[in-house]
Amino acid sequence: MYGFEAMTFNVHSGYLEAIVRGYRSGLLTAADYNNLCQCETLDDIKMHLSATEYGPYLQNEPSPLHTTTIVEKCTLKLVDEYKHMLCQATEPLSTFLEYITYGHMIDNVVLIVTGTLHERDVQELLEKCHPLGMFDSIATLAVAQNMRELYRLVLVDTPLAPYFSECITSEDLDDMNIEIMRNTLYKAYLEDFYRFCKKLGGATAEIMSDLLSFEADRRAVNITINSIGTELTREDRKNLYSSFGLLYPYGHEELAACEDIDQVRAVMEKYPPYQSIFSKLSYGESQMLDKAFYEEEVKRLCLSFEQQFHFGVFFAYMRLKEQEIRNLMWISECVAQNQKSRVHDSVVFIF
Amino acid sequence: MGLWLEPNSNGRTYCSSLSCNFRNLPQVQLRSRIVDTPISNRRTEMTMERQQREEEKKPQTSENDKDEKVVQFLDSLNDYLTLMDSLSSALRQGWLELASARHSMGSWRINSAILDHKFHSASTTLQLSSPDDSNYNMKQPHFTLRKWESCDDEDFQSKEVKLDEDEVQKNSDDVQVQKERSKTLLVFGALVSPKLRDAQLSFETALETLVDIANRRSVMLSAYDHVREEILGTKQ
């Protein structure tokens, strides 16, 4: 019952909510980012990060460092924190935490299938997979020739099985089919996650509905922009949009017909929450759109911590941590390429 | 038969055989008329005057040639350095755009592990024309870039072949090149970020600049050889 979570929430999930709020206080601040942006080399970045909670993960890395090494070690920290929370969680929080990782699972499946199609070594592909999306039989994906085999041999025993019903075909896998499969799976996953949160009810349903709707709308915009000038038809594009969100259904109809970024802008400016995002961009520009969306997402995620006794804080923390890792990746790339003047193009401050 | 010059009120000099305007020359008009004069004496005088003028001009012509060669060398060196600078900025731009694409799409979508190892023909080739070739008349080697050759369309023309003036043909080639560009990006997925497409264009520009640099270097070395020959010839 909404409003009465305070009576029962702490019985099973109070400890973990305290843990995640503690993790949140360990996120990098604007002062940390300013110090990192002034580094001259990747070793300087490592030195600055050694004073943060990333210190133990980077201290044993030999020089010269690479940007991918920094990202891998920071991701390991996120994985350790997630596993600590998952092993302590009971139902329904444990299922909620598992839902958070299904997106990475989909990405890993697509990576393995794409790499196999390009005749790459499976071990090499497994090293590039996101650790949060690993499952036991992932290496067997390399055997499948089409989606039907993919489902029958491997994915039927994974949490992604229910999402395959819309994209099972016997067509051989190629780059276009794989892209359609990726987006169809992600659409099904988001809708399933949305239904699960709605079923939980209370503050979790309210906060997660807002966050997942924003995610669905952002996906719709990205799919539209990325498919401009490609062979994806209007109907196929519309089928990739999720069936919820602020843009559903009329915004989706208009987005499906867009042929350039200015038409996308005209559609999105009809919706007040997105008007502020597109007002930051000049006409014909899409370079800063990602940053504008990330800033809006971070704002919403931080707001979720203002309320207690809901599962949204766990989702918000995971997303904020991923944003932090993206920030560190971008800063490292700018420092490594000696392009520090561009470092603020994509860094999103969390606090 | 002889020729004489008359001033022209229009201020133009007409050369009857060449049909060109020399605005900076004295304002005369060239006309031809048949005149009865002792031809052989006049011819001998003119020939002797011409020979004398040529003897005076010889050291000046040699100096001018030398200066011209040095100027050619310096020009080619300047072009070479300018091209190196533009190569550097194109590559910097490309690498940053690639990093931006990885930031946008995720590092698991853009990494070396998913590059295609299946056998496929090169989309772009480099052709070298050397002075040893029977069909090639230049003194220095020349590099030619042929882009997007993996296209199956029979009407497709390479970059180095002069495009027809027909707009339709040109548009068709542009569309084909766009398709080839999108096809090479399929390695990273069918729906890629515009930042990745920008990175592709930057690296394409860098490749064209590299070929220009190779050609310019070839010209520069040839000019240097000429200057060196002149200097050694002078010392002897």
Side-chain angles (χ1 to χ4, degrees):
Chain A
M1 195 187 302
Y2 195 7
F4 291 88
E5 293 91 359
M7 292 167 61
T8 55
F9 186 87
N10 281 348
V11 173
H12 295 291
S13 309
Y15 167 68
L16 284 176
E17 185 181 349
I19 289 288
V20 82
R21 286 182 183 272
Y23 287 156
R24 174 191 175 264
S25 64
L27 290 170
L28 297 178
T29 60
D32 293 320
Y33 285 121
N34 285 334
N35 287 338
L36 288 168
C37 291
Q38 286 167 17
C39 290
E40 294 289 330
T41 63
L42 294 181
D43 286 325
D44 289 345
I45 289 180
K46 176 184 160 186
M47 188 186 68
H48 277 101
L49 288 178
S50 63
T52 67
E53 295 186 359
Y54 291 111
Y57 292 86
L58 284 170
Q59 65 186 10
N60 294 328
E61 289 305 309
S63 295
L65 269 184
H66 197 270
T67 53
T68 50
T69 311
I70 294 177
V71 171
E72 273 170 27
K73 296 304 168 189
C74 295
T75 307
L76 274 182
K77 180 178 184 301
L78 171 64
V79 171
D80 287 345
E81 288 172 350
Y82 171 79
K83 284 181 178 171
H84 175 76
M85 290 193 292
L86 184 64
C87 71
Q88 304 267 355
T90 58
E91 285 292 337
L93 178 57
S94 55
T95 303
F96 182 90
L97 288 173
E98 283 169 1
Y99 263 106
I100 295 174
T101 64
Y102 291 171
H104 295 298
M105 219 178 267
I106 293 170
D107 289 332
N108 286 350
V109 166
V110 171
L111 174 65
I112 299 285
V113 169
T114 305
T116 307
L117 187 70
H118 297 159
E119 295 182 3
R120 301 304 298 260
D121 181 45
V122 173
Q123 284 308 317
E124 195 182 352
L125 295 168
L126 288 173
E127 285 169 14
K128 296 286 183 186
C129 288
H130 197 289
L132 280 179
M134 297 299 277
F135 51 93
D136 289 337
S137 51
I138 191 170
T140 325
L141 286 168
V143 174
Q145 298 293 323
N146 56 52
M147 287 185 224
R148 199 173 293 277
E149 280 183 17
L150 204 64
Y151 174 76
R152 192 173 56 84
L153 294 175
V154 187
L155 297 174
V156 66
D157 295 323
T158 66
L160 302 181
Y163 308 146
F164 259 80
S165 59
E166 292 183 33
C167 57
I168 291 185
T169 65
S170 297
E171 282 179 29
D172 279 349
L173 292 165
D174 63 23
D175 291 312
M176 184 53 97
N177 288 348
I178 290 173
E179 187 69 35
I180 303 273
M181 179 182 80
R182 180 212 308 272
N183 285 285
T184 308
L185 285 177
Y186 207 89
K187 171 190 168 183
Y189 151 64
L190 268 188
E191 288 171 359
D192 189 33
F193 196 8
Y194 184 78
R195 282 192 295 270
F196 175 77
C197 293
K198 279 286 192 193
K199 209 163 47 165
L200 289 175
T204 300
E206 185 188 348
I207 290 166
M208 285 303 298
S209 296
D210 177 60
L211 294 175
L212 291 177
S213 296
F214 180 80
E215 176 70 19
D217 293 339
R218 181 174 59 178
R219 268 195 76 248
V221 171
N222 283 338
I223 287 170
T224 309
I225 291 173
N226 293 348
S227 60
I228 288 171
T230 66
E231 293 170 357
L232 196 70
T233 62
R234 207 178 269 196
E235 205 50 44
D236 285 342
R237 188 196 279 182
K238 200 168 137 198
N239 288 339
L240 298 180
Y241 299 149
S242 300
S243 307
F244 67 98
L246 191 61
L247 297 176
Y248 175 79
Y250 305 112
H252 288 171
E253 293 282 345
E254 292 181 25
L255 277 179
C258 290
E259 297 293 335
D260 59 47
I261 184 72
D262 289 329
Q263 289 178 12
V264 172
R265 182 197 194 98
V267 169
M268 297 302 288
E269 280 183 339
K270 293 177 191 170
Y271 298 87
Y274 303 122
Q275 204 174 15
S276 58
I277 292 174
F278 281 82
S279 65
K280 293 179 192 173
L281 310 175
S282 50
Y283 280 94
E285 184 203 357
S286 65
Q287 297 294 324
M288 305 303 285
L289 184 60
D290 282 336
K291 183 177 177 184
F293 267 116
Y294 283 137
E295 282 174 345
E296 179 66 21
E297 184 190 23
V298 162
K299 205 172 14 171
R300 293 176 186 224
L301 292 170
C302 288
L303 277 177
S304 70
F305 281 92
E306 299 301 316
Q307 198 167 339
Q308 272 188 284
F309 313 124
H310 63 91
F311 294 160
V313 289
F314 299 97
F315 178 81
Y317 174 71
M318 296 295 288
R319 284 301 173 95
L320 286 173
K321 198 70 175 173
E322 285 170 5
Q323 179 61 47
E324 185 174 272
I325 293 172
R326 263 196 298 275
N327 286 344
L328 288 174
M329 188 273 274
W330 180 251
I331 292 172
S332 305
E333 285 285 351
C334 288
V335 165
Q337 293 184 27
N338 200 18
Q339 298 246 36
K340 289 200 314 190
S341 58
R342 303 289 297 271
V343 77
H344 291 288
D345 285 1
S346 294
V347 171
V348 177
F349 294 124
I350 296 172
F351 297 114
Chain B
M1 184 175 77
L3 297 172
W4 73 89
L5 304 177
E6 286 183 7
N8 183 8
S9 59
N10 290 337
R12 287 185 184 176
T13 302
Y14 291 93
C15 177
S16 58
S17 62
L18 296 178
S19 302
C20 55
N21 293 333
F22 295 91
R23 291 181 186 276
N24 293 330
L25 288 178
Q27 295 174 4
V28 297
Q29 185 177 17
L30 191 66
R31 289 184 183 174
S32 60
R33 239 188 235 184
I34 296 174
V35 174
D36 291 330
T37 54
I39 295 171
S40 61
N41 287 344
R42 196 152 177 84
R43 268 193 188 161
T44 309
E45 281 175 12
M46 280 178 67
T47 308
M48 282 175 67
E49 282 176 5
R50 198 181 304 126
Q51 279 176 354
Q52 198 177 358
R53 275 200 296 273
E54 280 173 6
E55 286 296 322
E56 283 171 5
K57 273 184 192 172
K58 258 188 188 168
Q60 287 181 6
T61 309
S62 170
E63 281 299 319
N64 286 343
D65 282 346
K66 214 186 291 183
D67 288 344
E68 202 177 309
K69 283 176 185 169
V70 170
V71 165
Q72 270 177 7
F73 168 68
L74 290 174
D75 279 343
S76 59
L77 181 62
N78 182 51
D79 292 342
Y80 177 77
L81 292 173
T82 307
L83 284 172
M84 287 292 277
D85 195 46
S86 42
L87 173 70
S88 168
S89 57
L91 283 175
R92 271 169 70 85
Q93 181 74 11
W95 282 117
L96 190 69
E97 280 162 353
L98 188 63
S100 185
R102 291 187 75 211
H103 178 268
S104 170
M105 291 170 63
S107 52
W108 55 89
R109 283 195 66 182
I110 301 182
N111 62 72
S112 56
I114 57 171
L115 294 177
D116 201 343
H117 272 193
K118 282 191 292 198
F119 177 79
H120 52 274
S121 55
S123 58
T124 298
T125 55
L126 189 66
Q127 187 181 358
L128 170 62
S129 307
S130 69
D132 298 331
D133 292 345
S134 55
N135 298 331
Y136 186 65
N137 297 325
M138 301 294 284
K139 290 182 186 173
Q140 57 263 9
H142 184 78
F143 299 91
T144 309
L145 192 67
R146 296 173 66 88
K147 284 168 45 174
W148 307 119
E149 282 197 323
S150 61
C151 171
D152 292 333
D153 189 356
E154 289 175 358
D155 294 332
F156 179 72
Q157 298 181 29
S158 72
K159 186 177 181 286
E160 285 298 317
V161 175
K162 282 187 182 173
L163 294 172
D164 288 342
E165 295 299 318
D166 189 3
E167 264 320 294
V168 173
Q169 179 65 38
K170 193 174 175 188
N171 287 340
S172 158
D173 290 344
D174 286 343
V175 165
Q176 206 57 43
V177 166
Q178 267 310 110
K179 277 187 185 167
E180 284 297 312
R181 283 200 182 110
S182 298
K183 199 171 140 192
T184 50
L185 286 182
L186 279 180
V187 165
F188 301 110
L191 301 180
V192 295
S193 166
K195 293 174 185 175
L196 191 63
R197 298 184 202 280
D198 291 342
Q200 184 186 38
L201 284 174
S202 295
F203 285 124
E204 209 176 300
T205 306
L207 184 62
E208 289 167 14
T209 310
L210 267 172
V211 174
D212 287 342
I213 285 173
N215 287 330
R216 184 53 56 181
R217 186 181 167 86
S218 169
V219 167
M220 184 181 72
L221 290 174
S222 170
Y224 174 71
D225 286 338
H226 289 144
V227 168
R228 205 156 167 271
E229 279 167 16
E230 284 290 329
I231 292 171
L232 288 175
T234 309
K235 280 183 183 172
Q236 286 169 2

